[in-house]
Structures are given as C-alpha cells and as structure tokens.
Amino acid sequence: MAREDSVKCLRCLLYALNLLFWLMSVCVLGVSAWMRVYLNNVFILTADTRLEEAVIQTYSPVVHPVMIAVCCFLIIVGMLGYCGTVKGNPLLLSWVCVCISKQLSCCGIS
C-alpha cells in the first residue's frame, strides 16, 4: 500500500515537472520571438551607434533562430515526457531523461 502511494506521488511530481518544463520552454520561445521582432525594428546602424548596439545587432540574426530551434526541441521533449508519464512508458521516460541530461551537460551543469 505504501509503495503504491509513493509511486502515485512520484507520478504526480513527474506530471508537474514536465508541465513546468514545457511551460518554461513556451515562455522562452515567446520571448525569443518577441525579441527578434523588437530588435529588428529598433536597431538601425548609424554614425552614432554605440559598440554594444552594433555587437547585439551583429549577433542577433544568428542567436534568435538557434534559440527558437532549441525551444521547439524542448517543447517536443516536454510533451514526450508528459506522454511517457501518462502512458507509463519507460522507453519514452528514459529518452526524455537522456535528452535533459545532455542539455544540462551542454550548459555546464553536471
């Protein structure tokens, strides 16, 4: 009985964490898309453009598509994690675990 209760508790925790992971990915995707539109409308190189603005404008065409692609991938991982939790599929859950650990190791978190 106690084991079943602990499994239910862990399953609910996994639901919550996957939902939080998915919502954070959607928020970062929205901010990335908004910043892409905002920076393209605001920055115009002129003679009195500061160096910081020029650097941001130089790197923004490269950064935003990468951020949007990573966020889309994270949304897919979050949805697969949620589906794996609902179905109780260990293969999906292990794939999500590997993806999240690889992402954290790429960020320098081990």
Side-chain angles (χ1 to χ4, degrees):
M1 183 69 179
R3 182 184 164 129
E4 291 174 9
D5 291 339
S6 63
V7 168
K8 285 181 185 178
C9 181
L10 286 174
R11 195 172 206 176
C12 289
L13 182 65
L14 200 52
Y15 285 138
L17 288 176
N18 279 322
L19 183 65
L20 180 68
F21 186 71
W22 186 80
L23 286 174
M24 287 177 17
S25 300
V26 169
C27 288
V28 172
L29 178 65
V31 168
S32 298
W34 174 76
M35 283 185 61
R36 179 178 180 186
V37 171
Y38 180 75
L39 286 178
N40 285 341
N41 291 337
V42 170
F43 288 132
I44 298 172
L45 287 176
T46 60
D48 52 306
T49 301
R50 294 182 312 182
L51 181 62
E52 295 86 18
E53 292 175 355
V55 168
I56 289 173
Q57 184 159 0
T58 304
Y59 286 114
S60 67
V62 176
V63 171
H64 293 295
V66 170
M67 292 240 342
I68 289 172
V70 167
C71 287
C72 289
F73 178 72
L74 291 177
I75 289 170
I76 292 170
V77 168
M79 289 303 291
L80 286 177
Y82 192 77
C83 291
T85 305
V86 168
K87 300 269 186 187
N89 189 345
L91 182 64
L92 275 177
L93 291 175
S94 62
W95 185 80
V96 169
C97 182
V98 167
C99 285
I100 291 175
S101 65
K102 290 290 184 183
Q103 291 164 5
L104 291 176
S105 67
C106 287
C107 294
I109 302 170
S110 53

XYZ file of all heavy atoms in Angstrom:
845
model
N 0.813 -1.192 0.000
C 0.000 0.000 0.000
C 0.862 1.264 0.000
O 0.598 2.201 -0.734
C -0.915 -0.040 1.223
C -1.856 1.112 1.304
S -3.068 0.975 0.002
C -4.036 2.391 0.332
N 1.898 1.257 0.828
C 2.770 2.426 0.906
C 3.539 2.619 -0.397
O 3.785 3.748 -0.814
C 3.731 2.283 2.077
N 3.900 1.496 -1.026
C 4.625 1.600 -2.293
C 3.744 2.197 -3.379
O 4.193 3.026 -4.171
C 5.128 0.228 -2.712
C 5.922 0.288 -3.989
C 6.345 -1.079 -4.449
N 6.758 -0.971 -5.833
C 7.885 -1.413 -6.283
N 8.715 -2.016 -5.484
N 8.190 -1.285 -7.544
N 2.489 1.816 -3.430
C 1.568 2.367 -4.428
C 1.361 3.864 -4.216
O 1.297 4.630 -5.178
C 0.231 1.638 -4.368
C 0.295 0.205 -4.834
C -1.016 -0.528 -4.618
O -2.023 0.132 -4.267
O -1.034 -1.747 -4.801
N 1.281 4.278 -2.963
C 1.124 5.704 -2.668
C 2.359 6.497 -3.082
O 2.251 7.598 -3.621
C 0.842 5.916 -1.185
C -0.534 5.412 -0.787
O -1.398 5.286 -1.682
O -0.734 5.145 0.414
N 3.533 5.933 -2.843
C 4.753 6.637 -3.228
C 4.884 6.713 -4.745
O 5.345 7.721 -5.287
C 5.976 5.966 -2.609
O 6.120 4.646 -3.097
N 4.462 5.662 -5.456
C 4.501 5.688 -6.917
C 3.535 6.742 -7.451
O 3.852 7.483 -8.387
C 4.198 4.285 -7.499
C 3.955 4.356 -8.991
C 5.334 3.332 -7.196
N 2.358 6.838 -6.853
C 1.393 7.863 -7.266
C 1.939 9.262 -7.002
O 1.779 10.168 -7.820
C 0.068 7.678 -6.528
C -0.758 6.524 -7.030
C -2.060 6.411 -6.265
C -2.836 5.180 -6.701
N -4.085 5.034 -5.926
N 2.597 9.435 -5.875
C 3.180 10.734 -5.543
C 4.286 11.100 -6.534
O 4.349 12.234 -7.010
C 3.726 10.700 -4.124
S 4.436 12.251 -3.585
N 5.159 10.152 -6.850
C 6.219 10.406 -7.817
C 5.663 10.672 -9.206
O 6.189 11.507 -9.952
C 7.184 9.225 -7.856
C 8.122 9.100 -6.672
C 8.920 7.812 -6.766
C 9.044 10.288 -6.601
N 4.591 9.980 -9.559
C 3.970 10.198 -10.862
C 3.382 11.606 -10.946
O 3.529 12.292 -11.957
C 2.896 9.154 -11.099
C 2.465 9.074 -12.507
C 1.563 7.897 -12.703
N 1.674 7.486 -14.083
C 1.092 6.464 -14.586
N 0.372 5.682 -13.829
N 1.213 6.164 -15.846
N 2.732 12.054 -9.888
C 2.196 13.422 -9.857
C 3.318 14.453 -9.923
O 3.197 15.484 -10.598
C 1.357 13.633 -8.607
S -0.208 12.756 -8.648
N 4.411 14.181 -9.221
C 5.561 15.074 -9.275
C 6.139 15.134 -10.685
O 6.510 16.207 -11.177
C 6.626 14.619 -8.280
C 7.875 15.478 -8.181
C 7.528 16.857 -7.655
C 8.893 14.809 -7.285
N 6.182 14.001 -11.357
C 6.675 13.963 -12.729
C 5.750 14.714 -13.676
O 6.212 15.404 -14.584
C 6.849 12.509 -13.181
C 7.765 12.232 -14.360
C 9.123 12.862 -14.157
C 7.912 10.746 -14.559
N 4.440 14.607 -13.460
C 3.487 15.405 -14.243
C 3.781 16.894 -14.080
O 3.855 17.644 -15.055
C 2.049 15.166 -13.774
C 1.417 13.874 -14.183
C 0.644 13.154 -13.281
C 1.548 13.373 -15.469
C 0.040 11.966 -13.641
C 0.945 12.187 -15.842
C 0.192 11.495 -14.927
O -0.398 10.330 -15.283
N 3.937 17.306 -12.831
C 4.158 18.723 -12.545
C 5.470 19.217 -13.144
O 5.535 20.307 -13.723
C 4.135 18.957 -11.039
N 6.535 18.425 -13.018
C 7.830 18.848 -13.553
C 7.813 18.917 -15.080
O 8.396 19.829 -15.668
C 8.927 17.908 -13.068
C 9.287 18.034 -11.594
C 10.312 16.994 -11.204
C 9.785 19.423 -11.280
N 7.161 17.960 -15.722
C 7.060 18.007 -17.180
C 6.232 19.195 -17.646
O 6.563 19.841 -18.637
C 6.474 16.704 -17.730
C 7.505 15.622 -17.836
O 8.641 15.870 -18.190
N 7.118 14.412 -17.516
N 5.167 19.492 -16.927
C 4.356 20.654 -17.274
C 5.147 21.941 -17.077
O 5.115 22.844 -17.931
C 3.082 20.678 -16.423
C 2.113 21.808 -16.731
C 1.548 21.670 -18.133
C 1.002 21.829 -15.702
N 5.903 22.030 -15.988
C 6.741 23.201 -15.740
C 7.812 23.339 -16.815
O 8.066 24.439 -17.322
C 7.379 23.098 -14.354
C 8.285 24.240 -13.941
C 7.467 25.507 -13.744
C 9.020 23.884 -12.670
N 8.450 22.242 -17.183
C 9.466 22.242 -18.239
C 8.866 22.725 -19.562
O 9.456 23.539 -20.266
C 10.034 20.824 -18.377
C 11.182 20.700 -19.314
C 12.418 21.218 -18.998
C 11.031 20.041 -20.524
C 13.480 21.096 -19.858
C 12.090 19.908 -21.390
C 13.314 20.448 -21.056
N 7.672 22.245 -19.886
C 7.009 22.630 -21.122
C 6.633 24.110 -21.097
O 6.848 24.827 -22.076
C 5.776 21.752 -21.335
C 5.111 21.977 -22.637
C 5.495 21.482 -23.841
C 3.954 22.770 -22.878
N 4.642 21.915 -24.815
C 3.677 22.710 -24.254
C 3.121 23.511 -22.058
C 2.609 23.375 -24.822
C 2.054 24.171 -22.628
C 1.817 24.092 -23.996
N 6.084 24.586 -19.981
C 5.698 25.994 -19.877
C 6.905 26.924 -19.947
O 6.840 27.986 -20.589
C 4.926 26.240 -18.575
C 3.504 25.712 -18.541
C 2.913 25.895 -17.156
C 2.647 26.392 -19.580
N 8.011 26.542 -19.330
C 9.219 27.354 -19.416
C 9.736 27.418 -20.850
O 10.171 28.470 -21.312
C 10.297 26.802 -18.476
C 9.999 27.068 -17.035
S 11.153 26.393 -15.812
C 12.600 25.983 -16.661
N 9.655 26.309 -21.566
C 10.091 26.293 -22.966
C 9.215 27.194 -23.825
O 9.716 27.923 -24.678
C 10.058 24.873 -23.521
O 10.898 24.037 -22.790
N 7.908 27.164 -23.584
C 6.990 28.021 -24.340
C 7.256 29.495 -24.026
O 7.257 30.340 -24.940
C 5.524 27.639 -24.041
C 4.554 28.667 -24.579
C 5.212 26.277 -24.625
N 7.526 29.815 -22.773
C 7.823 31.205 -22.399
C 9.112 31.699 -23.049
O 9.155 32.815 -23.576
C 7.918 31.336 -20.885
S 6.347 31.204 -20.060
N 10.148 30.893 -23.027
C 11.413 31.295 -23.658
C 11.235 31.425 -25.171
O 11.791 32.340 -25.793
C 12.540 30.297 -23.310
C 13.788 30.579 -24.105
C 12.839 30.357 -21.830
N 10.434 30.556 -25.772
C 10.143 30.667 -27.202
C 9.420 31.974 -27.500
O 9.757 32.681 -28.470
C 9.309 29.483 -27.669
C 8.890 29.482 -29.133
C 10.102 29.378 -30.030
C 7.928 28.359 -29.406
N 8.449 32.329 -26.683
C 7.732 33.591 -26.883
C 8.642 34.800 -26.731
O 8.573 35.744 -27.527
N 9.506 34.789 -25.722
C 10.438 35.905 -25.522
C 11.434 35.986 -26.676
O 11.757 37.082 -27.154
C 11.165 35.762 -24.165
C 12.329 36.727 -24.053
C 10.184 35.973 -23.028
N 11.897 34.856 -27.169
C 12.836 34.855 -28.301
C 12.191 35.426 -29.552
O 12.805 36.218 -30.274
C 13.326 33.441 -28.587
O 14.022 32.924 -27.504
N 10.966 35.025 -29.815
C 10.272 35.546 -30.998
C 9.998 37.042 -30.848
O 10.162 37.811 -31.801
C 8.975 34.784 -31.212
N 9.604 37.463 -29.646
C 9.347 38.884 -29.418
C 10.623 39.703 -29.566
O 10.612 40.775 -30.184
C 8.759 39.081 -28.025
C 8.605 40.520 -27.665
C 7.649 41.385 -28.112
C 9.463 41.268 -26.802
N 7.853 42.620 -27.561
C 8.957 42.579 -26.753
C 10.595 40.950 -26.056
C 9.553 43.571 -25.995
C 11.177 41.936 -25.306
C 10.662 43.232 -25.281
N 11.735 39.213 -29.005
C 12.999 39.947 -29.103
C 13.483 40.024 -30.544
O 14.067 41.027 -30.946
C 14.063 39.298 -28.218
C 13.896 39.625 -26.765
S 15.228 38.968 -25.765
C 16.639 39.797 -26.445
N 13.238 38.983 -31.308
C 13.658 39.005 -32.712
C 12.934 40.116 -33.459
O 13.549 40.894 -34.182
C 13.376 37.660 -33.351
C 13.757 37.621 -34.797
C 13.517 36.263 -35.385
N 13.905 36.295 -36.779
C 13.719 35.323 -37.605
N 13.164 34.209 -37.192
N 14.087 35.414 -38.845
N 11.648 40.225 -33.278
C 10.874 41.272 -33.945
C 11.258 42.641 -33.389
O 11.454 43.597 -34.141
C 9.365 41.005 -33.766
C 8.541 42.179 -34.257
C 8.971 39.749 -34.495
N 11.403 42.740 -32.067
C 11.706 44.010 -31.428
C 13.077 44.530 -31.843
O 13.217 45.693 -32.200
C 11.626 43.861 -29.914
C 11.923 45.127 -29.157
C 11.000 46.152 -29.105
C 13.133 45.294 -28.491
C 11.257 47.317 -28.421
C 13.418 46.448 -27.804
C 12.469 47.462 -27.766
O 12.746 48.615 -27.088
N 14.088 43.662 -31.810
C 15.439 44.114 -32.166
C 15.546 44.473 -33.641
O 16.275 45.390 -34.005
C 16.467 43.034 -31.812
C 16.775 42.879 -30.330
C 17.760 41.745 -30.128
C 17.337 44.154 -29.749
N 14.837 43.774 -34.490
C 14.878 44.124 -35.912
C 14.224 45.471 -36.176
O 14.609 46.167 -37.108
C 14.191 43.041 -36.747
C 15.044 41.809 -36.870
O 16.242 41.863 -36.658
N 14.416 40.700 -37.205
N 13.249 45.861 -35.375
C 12.582 47.140 -35.571
C 13.314 48.297 -34.909
O 13.186 49.432 -35.358
C 11.150 47.085 -35.033
C 10.275 46.196 -35.879
O 10.562 45.961 -37.040
N 9.212 45.702 -35.285
N 14.065 48.032 -33.844
C 14.664 49.113 -33.067
C 16.052 49.501 -33.557
O 16.354 50.678 -33.716
C 14.715 48.719 -31.569
C 15.547 49.699 -30.778
C 13.315 48.665 -31.013
N 16.922 48.535 -33.798
C 18.316 48.852 -34.090
C 18.531 49.188 -35.561
O 18.240 48.393 -36.440
C 19.234 47.682 -33.722
C 19.377 47.503 -32.246
C 19.226 46.260 -31.675
C 19.649 48.569 -31.418
C 19.352 46.083 -30.322
C 19.773 48.405 -30.064
C 19.624 47.158 -29.513
N 19.037 50.363 -35.781
C 19.454 50.788 -37.121
C 20.860 51.358 -36.948
O 21.095 52.237 -36.123
C 18.500 51.860 -37.690
C 17.097 51.278 -37.839
C 19.029 52.398 -39.001
C 16.051 52.292 -38.214
N 21.786 50.827 -37.714
C 23.165 51.308 -37.598
C 23.276 52.699 -38.203
O 22.925 52.931 -39.352
C 24.121 50.354 -38.311
C 24.378 49.026 -37.614
C 25.268 48.167 -38.495
C 25.032 49.239 -36.277
N 23.765 53.621 -37.391
C 24.018 54.983 -37.845
C 25.438 55.354 -37.442
O 26.169 54.549 -36.878
C 23.017 55.969 -37.201
O 23.155 55.904 -35.794
C 21.597 55.645 -37.613
N 25.806 56.591 -37.721
C 27.161 57.030 -37.383
C 27.361 57.097 -35.867
O 28.481 56.910 -35.393
C 27.436 58.387 -37.998
N 26.316 57.358 -35.100
C 26.468 57.475 -33.652
C 25.998 56.213 -32.912
O 25.638 56.265 -31.745
C 25.722 58.707 -33.129
C 24.282 58.739 -33.594
O 24.070 58.659 -34.812
O 23.392 58.873 -32.732
N 26.019 55.053 -33.574
C 25.656 53.792 -32.935
C 26.778 53.372 -31.994
O 27.943 53.389 -32.361
C 25.428 52.697 -33.979
O 24.404 53.114 -34.854
C 25.037 51.397 -33.323
N 26.391 53.001 -30.788
C 27.386 52.556 -29.820
C 27.862 51.148 -30.175
O 27.201 50.415 -30.902
C 26.798 52.555 -28.413
C 26.458 53.934 -27.932
C 25.942 53.906 -26.545
N 24.926 52.864 -26.432
C 24.246 52.612 -25.336
N 24.473 53.296 -24.257
N 23.339 51.655 -25.296
N 29.009 50.787 -29.637
C 29.606 49.489 -29.919
C 28.728 48.347 -29.419
O 28.578 47.331 -30.089
C 30.998 49.403 -29.286
C 31.761 48.105 -29.507
C 32.022 47.893 -30.984
C 33.046 48.112 -28.727
N 28.119 48.510 -28.233
C 27.268 47.453 -27.682
C 26.080 47.172 -28.587
O 25.692 46.025 -28.810
C 26.768 47.826 -26.275
C 27.847 47.934 -25.241
C 28.501 49.311 -25.209
O 27.915 50.279 -25.744
O 29.615 49.412 -24.689
N 25.473 48.221 -29.130
C 24.335 48.040 -30.032
C 24.765 47.352 -31.312
O 24.042 46.521 -31.855
C 23.689 49.382 -30.337
C 23.008 50.020 -29.157
C 22.491 51.402 -29.476
O 22.750 51.884 -30.598
O 21.837 51.995 -28.614
N 25.943 47.709 -31.816
C 26.442 47.084 -33.049
C 26.719 45.602 -32.828
O 26.425 44.773 -33.695
C 27.692 47.800 -33.528
N 27.255 45.255 -31.658
C 27.522 43.848 -31.355
C 26.219 43.075 -31.256
O 26.088 41.974 -31.787
C 28.352 43.724 -30.049
C 28.379 42.291 -29.564
C 29.752 44.239 -30.273
N 25.225 43.652 -30.577
C 23.932 42.977 -30.452
C 23.299 42.795 -31.819
O 22.766 41.738 -32.145
C 23.000 43.767 -29.502
C 23.497 43.652 -28.074
C 21.566 43.261 -29.610
C 22.756 44.526 -27.097
N 23.370 43.816 -32.658
C 22.762 43.697 -33.977
C 23.524 42.717 -34.851
O 22.943 42.021 -35.674
C 22.701 45.050 -34.667
C 21.986 44.951 -35.993
C 21.468 46.274 -36.447
O 21.644 47.268 -35.783
N 20.833 46.279 -37.579
N 24.830 42.618 -34.662
C 25.620 41.682 -35.451
C 25.303 40.243 -35.088
O 25.173 39.393 -35.951
C 27.124 41.948 -35.234
O 27.395 43.304 -35.546
C 27.963 41.041 -36.092
N 25.141 39.956 -33.788
C 24.919 38.576 -33.358
C 23.446 38.173 -33.316
O 23.140 37.002 -33.262
C 25.539 38.349 -31.979
C 27.033 38.270 -32.035
C 27.819 39.238 -31.444
C 27.661 37.233 -32.709
C 29.194 39.170 -31.505
C 29.028 37.161 -32.776
C 29.794 38.134 -32.171
O 31.146 38.065 -32.239
N 22.525 39.126 -33.333
C 21.117 38.766 -33.202
C 20.583 37.932 -34.360
O 19.742 37.072 -34.128
C 20.261 40.011 -32.982
O 20.250 40.825 -34.119
N 21.023 38.118 -35.615
C 20.498 37.237 -36.659
C 20.917 35.780 -36.479
O 20.247 34.883 -36.964
C 21.095 37.805 -37.947
C 21.449 39.199 -37.641
C 21.799 39.219 -36.191
N 21.996 35.527 -35.754
C 22.449 34.163 -35.532
C 21.810 33.564 -34.281
O 21.436 32.388 -34.269
C 23.998 34.145 -35.394
C 24.495 32.767 -35.059
C 24.647 34.680 -36.652
N 21.645 34.365 -33.255
C 21.200 33.857 -31.966
C 19.724 33.474 -31.977
O 19.350 32.419 -31.474
C 21.485 34.902 -30.860
C 20.847 34.506 -29.552
C 22.977 35.089 -30.701
N 18.889 34.293 -32.554
C 17.451 34.062 -32.453
C 16.966 32.792 -33.151
O 16.161 32.061 -32.567
C 16.677 35.285 -32.933
C 16.878 36.456 -32.034
N 16.436 36.469 -30.733
C 17.502 37.637 -32.230
C 16.765 37.608 -30.176
N 17.416 38.339 -31.060
N 17.407 32.473 -34.354
C 16.960 31.194 -34.932
C 17.431 29.987 -34.122
O 16.697 29.002 -33.997
C 17.569 31.183 -36.329
C 17.805 32.602 -36.655
C 18.113 33.273 -35.359
N 18.612 30.069 -33.539
C 19.111 28.971 -32.713
C 18.263 28.840 -31.456
O 17.872 27.735 -31.071
C 20.605 29.184 -32.369
C 21.073 28.193 -31.328
C 21.446 29.096 -33.622
N 17.945 29.964 -30.808
C 17.107 29.918 -29.606
C 15.720 29.384 -29.921
O 15.165 28.599 -29.159
C 16.987 31.314 -28.977
C 18.254 31.814 -28.404
S 18.316 32.203 -26.677
C 16.725 32.374 -26.083
N 15.164 29.779 -31.043
C 13.834 29.311 -31.416
C 13.869 27.814 -31.704
O 12.980 27.068 -31.285
C 13.297 30.130 -32.599
C 12.968 31.547 -32.126
C 12.076 29.469 -33.211
C 12.619 32.509 -33.227
N 14.898 27.340 -32.390
C 15.007 25.901 -32.675
C 15.191 25.091 -31.398
O 14.570 24.032 -31.227
C 16.166 25.651 -33.630
N 16.020 25.580 -30.483
C 16.227 24.873 -29.210
C 14.936 24.842 -28.399
O 14.592 23.811 -27.808
C 17.387 25.527 -28.417
C 17.419 25.046 -26.981
C 18.706 25.259 -29.102
N 14.205 25.941 -28.383
C 12.939 25.963 -27.638
C 11.922 25.014 -28.244
O 11.183 24.347 -27.511
C 12.379 27.377 -27.595
S 13.303 28.444 -26.492
N 11.869 24.933 -29.563
C 10.953 23.972 -30.194
C 11.332 22.540 -29.822
O 10.462 21.704 -29.542
C 10.955 24.154 -31.710
S 10.160 25.671 -32.237
N 12.624 22.257 -29.787
C 13.082 20.932 -29.378
C 12.704 20.655 -27.925
O 12.263 19.553 -27.580
C 14.592 20.812 -29.578
C 15.151 19.499 -29.132
C 14.912 18.347 -29.841
C 15.925 19.420 -27.982
C 15.418 17.132 -29.430
C 16.440 18.218 -27.561
C 16.182 17.075 -28.290
N 12.851 21.661 -27.059
C 12.500 21.489 -25.653
C 11.005 21.273 -25.473
O 10.579 20.517 -24.590
C 12.963 22.694 -24.836
C 14.465 22.858 -24.686
C 14.770 24.137 -23.926
C 15.078 21.670 -24.008
N 10.202 21.921 -26.286
C 8.756 21.711 -26.222
C 8.420 20.275 -26.592
O 7.600 19.621 -25.938
C 8.026 22.725 -27.119
C 8.106 24.113 -26.506
C 6.568 22.328 -27.339
C 7.633 25.222 -27.413
N 9.075 19.758 -27.615
C 8.849 18.364 -28.024
C 9.285 17.406 -26.912
O 8.584 16.444 -26.599
C 9.574 18.067 -29.347
C 8.911 18.849 -30.483
C 9.583 16.579 -29.651
C 9.673 18.822 -31.776
N 10.438 17.674 -26.297
C 10.914 16.821 -25.206
C 9.938 16.864 -24.028
O 9.625 15.824 -23.427
C 12.336 17.239 -24.769
C 12.736 16.565 -23.471
C 13.337 16.912 -25.855
N 9.438 18.043 -23.705
C 8.473 18.158 -22.611
C 7.184 17.408 -22.894
O 6.627 16.743 -22.014
N 6.710 17.490 -24.129
C 5.479 16.767 -24.481
C 5.706 15.254 -24.461
O 4.832 14.499 -24.009
C 4.979 17.208 -25.853
C 4.415 18.603 -25.858
S 3.084 18.868 -24.698
C 1.804 17.888 -25.415
N 6.856 14.813 -24.929
C 7.152 13.381 -24.876
C 7.293 12.897 -23.434
O 6.889 11.781 -23.104
C 8.402 13.058 -25.677
C 8.242 13.090 -27.190
C 9.577 12.829 -27.871
C 7.213 12.093 -27.652
N 7.859 13.725 -22.583
C 7.953 13.370 -21.175
C 6.585 13.263 -20.532
O 6.316 12.351 -19.744
N 5.706 14.184 -20.885
C 4.348 14.131 -20.350
C 3.611 12.891 -20.860
O 2.942 12.198 -20.094
C 3.594 15.403 -20.725
C 2.297 15.560 -19.989
C 2.287 15.981 -18.672
C 1.090 15.278 -20.603
C 1.102 16.121 -17.983
C -0.102 15.407 -19.922
C -0.095 15.840 -18.610
O -1.269 15.963 -17.936
N 3.758 12.596 -22.166
C 3.117 11.396 -22.727
C 3.698 10.127 -22.103
O 2.968 9.167 -21.840
C 3.289 11.359 -24.239
S 2.374 12.626 -25.100
N 5.008 10.116 -21.870
C 5.626 8.962 -21.222
C 5.143 8.773 -19.802
O 4.989 7.643 -19.328
N 4.867 9.875 -19.106
C 4.345 9.780 -17.755
C 2.905 9.276 -17.755
O 2.525 8.433 -16.942
C 4.417 11.151 -17.061
O 5.754 11.629 -17.119
C 4.009 11.056 -15.619
N 2.107 9.783 -18.685
C 0.701 9.365 -18.749
C 0.597 7.887 -19.098
O -0.153 7.132 -18.486
C -0.066 10.226 -19.776
C -1.429 9.642 -20.082
C -0.210 11.645 -19.274
N 1.361 7.455 -20.100
C 1.303 6.064 -20.545
C 2.097 5.124 -19.638
O 1.882 3.920 -19.667
C 1.852 5.935 -21.971
C 1.120 6.733 -22.998
C 0.036 5.918 -23.588
C -0.584 6.709 -24.730
N -1.734 6.060 -25.253
N 3.044 5.688 -18.884
C 3.903 4.851 -18.061
C 4.924 4.092 -18.894
O 5.346 2.993 -18.528
N 5.324 4.687 -20.014
C 6.251 4.048 -20.944
C 7.684 4.319 -20.506
O 8.155 5.465 -20.572
C 5.999 4.590 -22.348
C 6.748 3.831 -23.411
O 7.667 3.081 -23.124
N 6.343 4.032 -24.646
N 8.431 3.302 -20.081
C 9.812 3.530 -19.622
C 10.759 3.955 -20.744
O 11.728 4.658 -20.496
C 10.231 2.192 -19.016
C 9.245 1.194 -19.481
C 8.013 1.922 -19.888
N 10.470 3.564 -21.985
C 11.327 3.961 -23.101
C 11.248 5.467 -23.343
O 12.282 6.135 -23.505
C 10.942 3.195 -24.370
C 11.790 3.472 -25.605
C 13.217 3.027 -25.355
C 11.222 2.773 -26.812
N 10.047 6.018 -23.356
C 9.897 7.467 -23.522
C 10.524 8.230 -22.358
O 11.197 9.245 -22.560
C 8.419 7.842 -23.632
C 7.767 7.762 -24.997
C 6.296 8.104 -24.901
C 8.442 8.657 -25.985
N 10.308 7.728 -21.155
C 10.858 8.418 -19.989
C 12.387 8.379 -19.972
O 13.032 9.357 -19.607
C 10.290 7.813 -18.712
C 8.802 8.077 -18.478
C 8.324 7.324 -17.253
C 8.541 9.556 -18.335
N 12.972 7.258 -20.393
C 14.438 7.194 -20.437
C 14.987 8.094 -21.535
O 16.027 8.727 -21.360
C 14.903 5.753 -20.621
O 14.432 5.238 -21.846
N 14.264 8.206 -22.664
C 14.709 9.098 -23.738
C 14.663 10.549 -23.272
O 15.582 11.324 -23.536
C 13.830 8.898 -24.977
C 14.302 9.675 -26.151
C 15.303 9.347 -26.998
C 13.816 10.941 -26.594
N 15.454 10.314 -27.942
C 14.562 11.308 -27.720
C 12.814 11.791 -26.143
C 14.331 12.490 -28.401
C 12.593 12.975 -26.830
C 13.346 13.315 -27.944
N 13.607 10.920 -22.558
C 13.488 12.280 -22.026
C 14.592 12.548 -21.009
O 15.205 13.618 -21.006
C 12.085 12.498 -21.417
C 12.026 13.782 -20.618
C 11.040 12.500 -22.506
N 14.877 11.564 -20.165
C 15.941 11.717 -19.172
C 17.294 11.936 -19.845
O 18.073 12.802 -19.434
C 15.974 10.498 -18.270
S 17.212 10.586 -16.982
N 17.573 11.185 -20.894
C 18.835 11.344 -21.626
C 18.900 12.717 -22.287
O 19.928 13.404 -22.237
C 19.011 10.205 -22.659
C 20.127 10.504 -23.630
C 19.257 8.891 -21.953
N 17.793 13.155 -22.910
C 17.774 14.467 -23.566
C 18.004 15.600 -22.568
O 18.796 16.515 -22.827
C 16.451 14.684 -24.290
S 16.310 13.770 -25.820
N 17.354 15.535 -21.434
C 17.502 16.599 -20.439
C 18.904 16.584 -19.847
O 19.512 17.624 -19.637
C 16.420 16.469 -19.352
C 15.058 16.803 -19.964
C 16.723 17.391 -18.177
C 13.906 16.594 -19.024
N 19.460 15.395 -19.603
C 20.830 15.342 -19.054
C 21.845 15.848 -20.065
O 22.803 16.517 -19.700
C 21.162 13.933 -18.593
O 21.186 13.050 -19.689
N 21.641 15.568 -21.360
C 22.548 16.098 -22.393
C 22.447 17.616 -22.475
O 23.442 18.298 -22.638
C 22.221 15.493 -23.763
C 22.564 14.051 -23.887
C 24.046 13.841 -23.903
C 24.332 12.373 -24.121
N 25.737 12.088 -24.072
N 21.232 18.150 -22.365
C 21.061 19.594 -22.409
C 21.724 20.258 -21.213
O 22.374 21.304 -21.357
C 19.571 19.944 -22.431
C 18.899 19.561 -23.698
C 17.394 19.545 -23.573
O 16.847 19.916 -22.536
N 16.715 19.116 -24.614
N 21.589 19.658 -20.040
C 22.229 20.226 -18.861
C 23.744 20.121 -18.939
O 24.450 21.023 -18.502
C 21.710 19.548 -17.603
C 20.258 19.844 -17.237
C 19.842 19.030 -16.025
C 20.040 21.309 -17.009
N 24.254 19.037 -19.525
C 25.707 18.922 -19.658
C 26.255 19.899 -20.676
O 27.372 20.375 -20.547
C 26.095 17.487 -20.014
O 25.638 17.161 -21.309
N 25.466 20.237 -21.699
C 25.899 21.245 -22.661
C 25.970 22.633 -22.025
O 26.772 23.467 -22.425
C 24.951 21.296 -23.860
S 25.121 19.891 -24.957
N 25.124 22.855 -21.019
C 25.137 24.139 -20.314
C 26.212 24.195 -19.235
O 26.385 25.223 -18.596
C 23.772 24.394 -19.679
S 22.463 24.615 -20.863
N 26.891 23.093 -18.996
C 27.944 23.054 -17.990
C 27.476 22.593 -16.629
O 28.211 22.669 -15.663
N 26.240 22.121 -16.538
C 25.711 21.614 -15.278
C 25.849 20.094 -15.309
O 25.331 19.445 -16.192
C 24.233 22.004 -15.090
C 24.107 23.521 -15.136
C 23.686 21.443 -13.794
C 22.682 23.992 -15.202
N 26.582 19.548 -14.354
C 26.768 18.090 -14.394
C 26.182 17.407 -13.199
O 25.730 17.898 -12.265
C 28.241 17.749 -14.482
O 28.979 18.380 -13.477
